[in-house]
Amino acid sequence: MHGRVIRVGDMGEFALIDRLQRFLQAPSGSQVVKSIGDDCAVLQPSPESELILTTDSQEEGVHYRLDWCAPEDIGWRCLAINVSDIAAMAGWPLGAVVALSLPPELDVAFVDGLYTGMQELARDMACPIIGGNMTKTTGRVSVTITVLGEVPKGQAIYRSGARPGDEIWVTGTLGGAKAGLEALLQPDAVAGLPASHALMCYRRPQPRLHEAQFLRQRATLHSLLDLSDGLSGDLRHICQASGVGAQIEADAVPIHDETRRIAHALQADPLSFALHGGEDFELCFTAPPTQIDPIRGDFDQQFHRSLVRVGTIRKGKEVTLKQPDGSETVLPARGYDHFRPAEG
Ligand SMILES: Nc1ncnc2c1ncn2[C@@H]1O[C@H](COP(=O)(O)OP(=O)(O)O)[C@@H](O)[C@H]1O
Ligand SMILES: Cc1ncc(C[n+]2csc(CCOP(=O)(O)OP(=O)(O)O)c2C)c(N)n1
Ligand SMILES: [Mg+2]
């Protein structure tokens, strides 16, 4: 009747759940006592740890578009941004539950793709998917994931611990996801330019889970978060939670060459992509001077990406941007806000 397309509405809720089980076979990890198939999943955290819990939604049209991303990318992304929050506490995940809202006319092959991508990341991050929920929607696809994690007692790293004199560090490069997003929004303007790095940043963000473990074990960090809204907005979260100010050095902010070229092709400022773009999901942390320099080489070698010092925590509450010529201006918090119109 519908050719080869099987729609969610034709298959029905329970057949679809049964179908998903094959993506979620035998979650490994001794912490999973009971997985998909009962009223709750059961997890066994270790006695020396604290539990950490996070949830985030990814909405069609707000976080991804079905014509921009393969279903596998969307599945990856939905889980990645949640695991990234666990990394942002320097913990590790125990398991995830996935709440789907699906329009009945959606092709079941999309759901298969979603779970294939999600499982790829779940394996990489040892974060078993142990259940979820499914509902019809009269709107668009929505995926809400909740991840339970753990961290050794007393060792979670909060946004609130930054102190004047701390160095501010980030992992990797910033602005890539914004460059990818803009390349998808304005394909003609970037035609012919390499964009594979930028598109990967946008479609397949990498939670810096192992990186955060390394940092917690090898150095004293005072504060830590993941960069979801953009450095300008997220650093302000650290500053407000810690009651401090900060200075960012414009020429220290790490930006990938591809991001620079895409920004230039769009007559945009690459630094603005890096500061305000959001969705890079790199780590931003503060640490007392001398903590990070000795471990930078090992970090580079282990993760093939750099730790870059981008500024300093100061007294007060202002967040400023220092230009290479020494001039200093207040850095506006133009990070992403769901309910405020986007700026340049
Ligand atoms: N609807 C809500 N009800 C209660 N708490 C919320 C709600 N939305 C966000 N929060 C809380 O606000 C804080 C910041 O949220 P958010 O900016 O989404 O963080 P993140 O970038 O880590 O996802 C978190 O502690 C989160 O749990
Ligand atoms: C179609 C589309 N338009 C715009 C964006 C850009 N965008 C959407 S949400 C967001 C910020 C991060 O998302 P949020 O839900 O606030 O994550 P959280 O801070 O809660 O982790 C950005 C930059 C996008 N990813 N996709
Ligand atoms: Mg959130």
Side-chain angles (χ1 to χ4, degrees):
M1 235 181 359
H2 301 291
R4 293 204 334 280
V5 175
I6 307 169
R7 296 180 201 286
V8 164
D10 299 334
M11 177 163 273
E13 180 184 348
F14 299 104
L16 190 56
I17 292 174
D18 285 347
R19 185 185 178 87
L20 294 184
Q21 299 232 22
R22 71 175 139 113
F23 293 97
L24 310 182
Q25 282 156 2
S28 56
S30 55
Q31 78 273 16
V32 182
V33 180
K34 176 83 196 166
S35 185
I36 183 168
D38 213 307
D39 294 304
C40 286
V42 181
L43 291 171
Q44 176 67 69
S46 74
E48 318 76 43
S49 65
E50 290 168 340
L51 292 175
I52 51 182
L53 182 61
T54 183
T55 192
D56 265 285
S57 300
Q58 290 276 296
E59 304 291 319
E60 180 188 349
V62 175
H63 297 95
Y64 53 85
R65 276 175 36 179
L66 302 191
D67 57 334
W68 283 356
C69 300
E72 290 80 1
D73 295 331
I74 298 171
W76 171 287
R77 181 179 222 283
C78 291
L79 184 57
I81 60 119
N82 276 281
V83 172
S84 179
D85 276 328
I86 298 288
M89 303 299 283
W92 60 84
L94 290 169
V97 290
V98 179
L100 296 180
S101 299
L102 304 175
E105 62 278 11
L106 188 72
D107 187 343
V108 166
F110 175 89
V111 186
D112 289 355
L114 194 75
Y115 271 74
T116 302
M118 217 148 42
Q119 271 302 91
E120 253 179 82
L121 185 85
R123 270 191 300 269
D124 282 7
M125 300 287 149
C127 177
I129 294 160
I130 52 174
N133 185 50
M134 208 169 289
T135 166
K136 169 169 90 171
T137 175
T138 52
R140 301 205 260 179
V141 174
S142 162
V143 183
T144 297
I145 299 187
T146 302
V147 181
L148 188 64
E150 64 181 339
V151 66
K153 267 196 184 114
Q155 291 187 41
I157 304 168
Y158 302 120
R159 296 174 174 188
S160 54
R163 297 181 210 162
D166 278 2
E167 298 172 340
I168 305 168
W169 293 82
V170 298
T171 57
T173 57
L174 307 184
K178 171 73 170 170
L181 174 64
E182 291 300 327
L184 289 162
L185 278 168
Q186 308 182 59
D188 294 342
V190 300
L193 281 184
S196 56
H197 164 83
L199 291 172
M200 279 297 273
C201 290
Y202 173 74
R203 291 183 174 137
R204 295 231 169 190
Q206 297 286 336
R208 302 305 182 196
L209 189 67
H210 302 108
E211 289 84 343
Q213 298 297 324
F214 174 101
L215 291 166
R216 175 169 59 69
Q217 284 161 12
R218 297 280 302 271
T220 299
L221 306 195
H222 281 163
S223 65
L224 171 66
L225 53 57
D226 65 325
L227 292 170
S228 59
D229 296 327
L231 183 62
S232 70
D234 285 324
L235 181 59
R236 202 159 304 257
H237 292 146
I238 287 186
C239 287
Q240 280 170 355
S242 304
V244 294
Q247 182 195 62
I248 294 290
E249 289 158 35
D251 56 355
V253 176
I255 304 175
H256 195 281
D257 278 347
E258 204 177 276
T259 303
R260 285 186 195 282
R261 282 192 227 111
I262 290 172
H264 287 142
L266 300 168
Q267 269 108 52
D269 178 9
L271 183 63
S272 170
F273 279 18
L275 293 175
H276 313 301
E279 296 188 299
D280 287 315
F281 297 101
E282 294 292 349
L283 301 173
C284 173
F285 59 93
T286 76
T290 74
Q291 280 293 308
I292 304 303
D293 260 330
I295 61 169
R296 284 174 76 182
D298 285 356
F299 186 95
D300 251 63
Q301 211 176 7
Q302 194 164 330
F303 301 111
H304 307 291
R305 83 192 78 262
S306 304
L307 289 172
V308 182
R309 186 186 164 191
V310 295
T312 313
I313 294 292
R314 304 199 296 197
K315 286 192 187 134
K317 47 180 151 182
E318 251 182 11
V319 179
T320 65
L321 184 66
K322 186 178 159 201
Q323 298 294 347
D325 67 6
S327 62
E328 198 172 338
T329 50
V330 171
L331 178 65
R334 278 170 46 205
Y336 191 87
D337 181 323
H338 279 286
F339 302 108
R340 278 218 200 111
E343 295 174 61

